[in-house]
Amino acid sequence: MQQAKFSVEEAQANFINNFKAYGFKDKSSLVRTAIDHFKNKLELESLRKSAELYSEIYSENDSLKELTETAITGWPE
């Protein structure tokens, strides 16, 4: 595993130092989990923004709506 050196605020360091209280075996596992959670949150936010953009494009484009309706004709509901 790679190591990294970084600076944190005192309150953040206090949180990390209490890793056992949160059920982690060490500081590194707490930080890795926090990074994974943050990465997932960023990815979900990006996906949400993308969906909103597609929704906006779809709602403003009548030919796209017609194409979609044509494509789903005959499909079970």
Side-chain angles (χ1 to χ4, degrees), residues 49-61:
K49 286 180 181 179
S50 176
E52 286 177 359
L53 179 58
Y54 277 110
S55 175
E56 182 181 329
I57 291 169
Y58 181 80
S59 69
E60 296 173 356
N61 189 323

Side-chain angles (χ1 to χ4, degrees), residues 34-46:
I35 290 170
D36 287 342
H37 279 285
F38 184 64
K39 178 180 174 276
N40 289 338
K41 182 178 178 177
L42 290 176
E43 289 170 349
L44 285 173
E45 180 64 19
S46 177

Side-chain angles (χ1 to χ4, degrees), residues 1 5 10 16-17 23 27 30-34 36 38 44-45 47 50 52-54 56 60 65:
M1 220 176 279
K5 183 177 180 180
E10 184 176 349
I16 293 169
N17 287 330
K27 295 175 188 179
L30 182 145
V31 172
R32 284 192 300 271
T33 299
D36 287 342
F38 184 64
L44 285 173
E45 180 64 19
L47 184 59
S50 176
E52 286 177 359
L53 179 58
Y54 277 110
E56 182 181 329
E60 296 173 356
K65 290 178 186 177

Side-chain angles (χ1 to χ4, degrees), residues 6 8-31:
F6 51 90
V8 295
E9 300 290 330
E10 184 176 349
Q12 295 165 330
N14 290 336
F15 177 79
I16 293 169
N17 287 330
N18 286 321
F19 62 91
K20 286 183 183 177
Y22 303 109
F24 294 93
K25 67 177 183 170
D26 55 31
K27 295 175 188 179
S28 293
S29 60
L30 182 145
V31 172

